[in-house]
Structures are given as structure tokens and as C-alpha cells.
Amino acid sequence: MLYRIGEFSKFTGIPIRTLRYYDSIDLFKPCEVDLFTNYRYYKEEQIKDLELINDLKNVGFTLEEIRDNWNNFNEDLFLKKKEKLLESIELANEAIKKVDILRSKIKNGIISNDNDEKEIIKKKSIF
């Protein structure tokens, strides 16, 4: 059975605008386009492809990466993506440590820096 874009959108939860965009960038094409009306038609079997696109997006692949590698995914691509995710985790953990350090330096609403403590006292006395 073929579904028009609106029906397919409701069925999948993917907005019509997104389906049109995916078509325009050659990521996810309708199975048929009416030459006279330009209506896009989709098959139920295409839902699995949309789910895979969403899964790939959710782990950090860009739409361009998904499109360019659609028939060419390999273990190396996923290992590189995993490395990037692990690097992001490291950066986030470093940022969390810095937040805790800065939080511990708050005194009377001001973040004091041990090296600049005298400078802070001077600035307060000016005002």
C-alpha cells in the first residue's frame, strides 16, 4: 500500500517538512512521485529506513554522513564515532570539575581567585 506524504507523516511521526527536506538532500526519497501532482508516495517498508536514520542521528551522525555512507557503513565509521563520543564525555567531565572548582571559590557572590585575592580586596575598597 502507498501512503501520501501527509498520511506517512502521521503514521511515522516525522513532520512533512522533514520528509520533504530529506527528499531534497537525497537522504530519504519517496518510492514514487506523481508526475502531474508532484505528490510523494511512501511504502510501509520505508519506515525501517526512517528509524535507522533517526538512530544514526541520535548517536551523532550528521544527515550528510548518513546520506554519503548509506550503502557504505563499516565498523571504522562507528569506531570513529565512538571515539568522538568518548572524547565528548572527557571534555564534559573536565568542565564539570572546573564548575566544581569555581563553585568552591564563591565567597559573598564573587568568585575569588587565590592569586587575585588582593586585587579583589583593592577593587572592593575602591567602591
Side-chain angles (χ1 to χ4, degrees):
M1 179 174 188
L2 295 179
Y3 297 94
R4 286 184 19 190
I5 194 169
E7 297 167 320
F8 195 71
S9 170
K10 287 179 186 174
F11 191 59
T12 61
I14 304 294
I16 292 171
R17 186 175 180 180
T18 300
L19 291 169
R20 287 186 177 134
Y21 179 67
Y22 286 177
D23 183 14
S24 74
I25 64 169
D26 293 327
L27 173 62
F28 182 76
K29 303 292 254 174
C31 67
E32 191 176 307
V33 177
D34 187 293
L35 295 175
F36 298 107
T37 63
N38 282 328
Y39 285 164
R40 293 168 173 90
Y41 292 94
Y42 299 87
K43 292 181 185 176
E44 191 171 338
E45 295 85 28
Q46 290 181 280
I47 293 172
K48 290 179 183 178
D49 287 342
L50 272 181
E51 290 172 349
L52 179 56
I53 289 168
N54 277 332
D55 287 344
L56 292 166
K57 281 177 30 183
N58 288 336
V59 298
F61 284 98
T62 66
L63 295 178
E64 292 76 19
E65 289 173 323
I66 297 168
R67 180 196 62 215
D68 295 346
N69 294 291
W70 187 254
N71 292 313
N72 222 11
F73 278 101
N74 58 55
E75 192 170 335
D76 285 343
L77 286 170
F78 285 94
L79 289 174
K80 287 178 185 175
K81 186 57 64 181
K82 182 179 177 179
E83 286 175 20
K84 285 183 182 178
L85 290 170
L86 290 170
E87 185 179 309
S88 296
I89 291 170
E90 280 183 39
L91 292 172
N93 284 332
E94 287 175 22
I96 289 168
K97 288 177 187 175
K98 287 179 184 177
V99 165
D100 286 338
I101 290 168
L102 291 169
R103 188 177 55 111
S104 71
K105 292 182 176 187
I106 295 174
K107 294 179 184 170
N108 298 321
I110 297 172
I111 299 173
S112 65
N113 189 341
D114 296 336
N115 297 336
D116 295 337
E117 190 131 346
K118 293 178 184 175
E119 194 64 34
I120 291 171
I121 293 170
K122 285 182 187 176
K123 286 181 182 177
K124 282 185 180 180
S125 65
I126 294 173
F127 299 109

